[in-house]
Amino acid sequence: MAKTFSSMTGLVAIHTPGAPNPLIEYALREAAIDLCRRGKCYRDTQSLTLANAAFPYTISPPAGTKVVKVLRVLADGKAPPLSPIDEQEASRAQDDWKNTSGPLDSFVENPRGIVRLVPLPVTSAVLDVTIALEPSEAATDIPDDLWEKYHPAIVSGAIARLAIMPKRGWADAGLASLHAGLAESSINEAVAEFTTHYVMTSRFTAPRPL
C-alpha cells in the first residue's frame, strides 16, 4: 500500500494557511526526497540472473522512484555480500578489471545505479541487489511503512520549506526553524538505522589481486 502526497496536505495546511495544495504537495515530495536521499530508508531488493555480457548493468528502479545508491550485492545467495569499492581500488587490484573474469569479490557503482562486478562472472551470476530509492519528481506517493516510521521528516520538512518562503502570507521564520529541527531529528533516526544495518555490517575490505 502507498500513502499519497495529496492525502498529507491537510497536516501541512493547518500550519501554512493560504498555501495552495499543489505547492504543499510539491513541498511534501521534496521533503520525502530529502529523507530518502540522506537516510537511505526507502529500499528495494531485486533478484537478478545476469550473463557476463550484461555488465555494466543498469538497475531499473520501481515506477515513480530513482536509484540513490546500491547498498548491497549478494552473489548466489551466499554471505558475505560483495565489497563495495571504487574504480581506483579496482584498478589497483587489476589493470584490466573491466574485462577480467573470476570468482566474484566486489562491485563498483559508477555512475549512480550502474553496477560492474569485480571481477566479472565467468559465465553468469545470480544476484540479490539491495538499492536505496527516492521518489521521482513526478511521484505521487510513498510506501505506507515509510510514512508510518518517518512522517515527521516529511510533514515538518514540508512545513519548514513553505514557512521560509519570503513575502508569502504563511511565511513564519520561527515556525520554519522549529519544523526544520523536527525534520532533521527524524532524518537522523533514518541515518542511524542505515548506519547500523548497512554500514557497520558491510564488508569493506580491499579486493583480492586478480
Side-chain angles (χ1 to χ4, degrees):
M1 297 295 292
K3 181 77 171 177
T4 63
F5 293 117
S6 61
S7 70
M8 307 173 194
T9 56
L11 297 172
V12 177
I14 59 174
H15 299 280
T16 57
N21 277 353
L23 183 60
I24 295 176
E25 286 189 41
Y26 173 80
L28 285 161
R29 186 182 302 108
E30 288 297 299
I33 290 172
D34 187 36
L35 163 68
C36 296
R37 187 174 294 170
R38 294 169 57 196
K40 299 177 179 62
C41 50
Y42 187 176
R43 296 186 283 266
D44 181 56
T45 298
Q46 301 182 4
S47 296
L48 308 167
T49 300
L50 301 174
N52 178 298
F55 295 94
Y57 180 77
T58 301
I59 301 292
S60 296
T65 70
K66 296 167 62 175
V67 176
V68 174
K69 184 180 180 64
V70 175
L71 300 179
R72 181 172 292 169
V73 178
L74 197 65
D76 300 318
K78 299 175 183 176
L82 304 183
S83 298
I85 61 172
D86 59 31
E87 292 193 354
Q88 289 75 18
E89 291 173 298
S91 296
R92 285 197 293 270
Q94 172 69 41
D95 289 339
D96 194 27
W97 64 274
K98 292 182 179 179
N99 300 302
T100 301
S101 301
L104 300 182
D105 182 78
S106 311
F107 74 91
V108 171
E109 180 189 14
N110 186 34
R112 184 168 66 172
I114 297 180
V115 175
R116 292 179 183 270
L117 298 186
V118 184
L120 288 169
V122 175
T123 54
S124 63
V126 179
L127 306 173
D128 291 314
V129 182
T130 301
I131 53 178
L133 303 168
E134 65 183 42
S136 69
E137 290 81 0
T140 58
D141 56 39
I142 57 170
D144 275 337
D145 58 345
L146 192 66
W147 166 254
E148 289 172 6
K149 193 168 186 178
Y150 297 114
H151 64 270
I154 300 170
V155 174
S156 286
I159 294 169
R161 284 166 169 79
L162 294 169
I164 202 64
M165 290 181 171
K167 299 180 181 180
R168 304 295 178 99
W170 59 83
D172 184 329
L175 185 71
S177 178
L178 170 64
H179 282 277
L182 293 173
E184 193 69 18
S185 294
S186 186
I187 291 172
N188 287 340
E189 289 180 14
V191 171
E193 190 270 343
F194 167 72
T195 301
T196 299
H197 293 285
Y198 283 90
V199 176
M200 294 177 65
T201 60
S202 292
R203 185 170 60 108
F204 287 91
T205 58
R208 297 188 298 268
L210 306 178

